[in-house]
Amino acid sequence: MAQVTKEMIIGDIIRIDQGVIPILMGAGMHCVGCPSAQGESLEEACMVHGMDVEVLVGNINAYLENK
């Protein structure tokens, strides 16, 4: 099973499983298709968007675990 960390690039996370896109979008991170997603870590994006990266990582990993 894949495990996501806050250091991972958003584009890499999406390549693991596109099912994480609704989780990112639901958290207010609508940049999943923009060029920044190919070079920005989840932690960096969360800082820009004022989100708690630990909560988002937990939600993504819970999804991946329960697939």
Side-chain angles (χ1 to χ4, degrees):
M1 173 191 74
Q3 192 82 16
V4 169
T5 66
K6 63 185 178 183
E7 293 85 10
M8 292 178 74
I9 302 299
I10 295 169
D12 294 340
I13 295 169
I14 293 169
R15 279 188 281 287
I16 289 171
D17 188 320
Q18 289 190 358
V20 302
I21 292 173
I23 297 169
L24 295 169
M25 299 280 285
M29 197 171 292
H30 301 144
C31 58
V32 294
C34 81
S36 294
Q38 301 309 311
E40 191 171 52
S41 72
L42 191 58
E43 184 173 36
E44 292 167 331
C46 282
M47 283 191 299
V48 169
H49 289 82
M51 297 176 193
D52 185 337
V53 69
E54 299 301 333
V55 170
L56 190 53
V57 167
N59 291 341
I60 293 170
N61 283 327
Y63 161 77
L64 292 171
E65 184 177 316
N66 293 309
K67 258 186 79 163

